[in-house]
Amino acid sequence: MENKILLATRNRGKIAELDRLMAAFGLEVLGLDAFPELEEVEETGRTFEENALLKARHAAARTGLVSLADDSGLEAKALGGAPGVFSARFHLEAPEEFFKAQPRQDKDFLNVAWLLEKMKPFPQGERQARFCSVIAAVRPDGASIAAAGCWPGELTFEQRGENGFGYDPVFFDPARQRTAAQMSLEEKNRHSHRARALRQLAGFWPGFWAGF
Ligand code: ITT
């Protein structure tokens, strides 16, 4: 049995976190860089779980390797759980004037700026949010496991911190009194939605791996 697993994500922030988190599994972790010809799968699911399974299934079927994928996002209570599964594409719903007014045009910056814009009417006390992640693992024979984790917090009014990626600079953890972008990788990996999901998944792992 090969001791290799494919991490099926193109998001560098996720790769850095998952690489470190998965060290405990004692596996050789390959990235999608090893498979440049693998086409991206369209994320058509309505839930994090559906999308995580879609991505992991696609990678396992094409490469013949046990594949792990994360689908994740931010849910703001005041926005009825948005952006949720649309977190990576949230800025696409913004009007043209919004884009013209932005100093940067990269995806992470635009998503965060659009979120702060939508949250403008909501004062402190109405800014609860959580990060959620579902991590799915799929074997080449199609067998799968999946687990979820969420990280409760609040949205700030401005960006704080330089670390992490995506929405980290506006996600404030009240228990630790700082944003996710003000945490080191080690600290974020102790508390994050992704860490919580992976801890859950670890419980199913021995049976999943043994049947491979
Ligand atoms: P892959 O599908 O290749 O994994 P992606 O970036 O498209 O990469 P998703 O579809 O799961 O990943 O979208 C996740 C979105 O939620 C994306 O905008 C991230 O920036 C954001 N997000 C998820 N986890 C986050 C975290 O820990 N910190 C900040 N933002 C996060």
Side-chain angles (χ1 to χ4, degrees):
M1 179 177 67
E2 273 195 295
N3 217 24
K4 281 186 192 154
I5 183 164
L6 174 64
L7 203 51
T9 173
R10 299 199 189 271
N11 180 317
R12 294 193 174 282
K14 287 186 190 178
I15 294 169
E17 291 179 17
L18 285 166
D19 247 352
R20 191 75 65 90
L21 285 166
M22 285 174 60
F25 286 67
L27 299 166
E28 186 186 337
V29 180
L30 299 178
L32 284 175
D33 296 357
F35 300 92
E37 74 289 356
L38 193 80
E39 68 279 16
E40 229 169 292
V41 61
E42 219 190 317
E43 296 184 24
T44 52
R46 286 155 305 158
T47 62
F48 294 126
E49 184 175 0
E50 282 175 15
N51 281 335
L53 279 163
L54 263 175
K55 290 187 266 193
R57 249 185 233 303
H58 173 75
R62 290 287 202 284
T63 65
L65 288 170
V66 174
S67 300
L68 196 98
D70 159 290
D71 199 63
S72 47
L74 183 83
E75 298 179 338
K77 193 174 173 192
L79 305 179
V85 288
F86 300 109
S87 293
R89 304 161 261 176
F90 195 36
H91 65 282
L92 296 178
E93 67 166 53
E96 207 160 308
E97 312 82 73
F98 165 82
F99 293 95
K100 287 189 190 138
Q102 301 309 314
R104 280 167 51 188
Q105 296 294 320
D106 57 287
K107 215 175 78 168
D108 275 359
F109 183 89
L110 293 171
N111 281 331
V112 171
W114 180 237
L115 178 68
L116 289 179
E117 183 65 29
K118 298 264 288 188
M119 287 299 297
K120 262 187 187 158
F122 301 102
Q124 191 88 50
E126 293 179 28
R127 299 178 72 88
Q128 297 94 330
R130 58 181 195 174
F131 270 133
C132 290
S133 156
V134 171
I135 298 181
V138 175
R139 297 195 316 227
D141 65 6
S144 64
I145 50 174
C150 289
W151 186 13
E154 292 162 13
L155 295 173
T156 56
F157 291 87
E158 73 303 303
Q159 307 207 26
R160 262 184 257 160
E162 305 294 328
N163 302 333
F165 66 98
Y167 297 92
D168 281 343
V170 292
F171 180 80
F172 183 79
D173 180 342
R176 285 152 205 103
Q177 289 291 303
R178 49 188 167 270
T179 68
Q182 290 174 311
M183 296 181 185
S184 64
L185 180 65
E186 289 72 26
E187 186 177 21
K188 186 180 171 195
N189 268 354
R190 279 197 294 277
H191 310 292
S192 78
H193 49 315
R194 198 161 289 111
R196 290 171 203 219
L198 207 59
R199 278 199 286 270
Q200 292 287 326
L201 198 82
F204 309 124
W205 189 262
F208 172 76
W209 190 256
F212 175 42

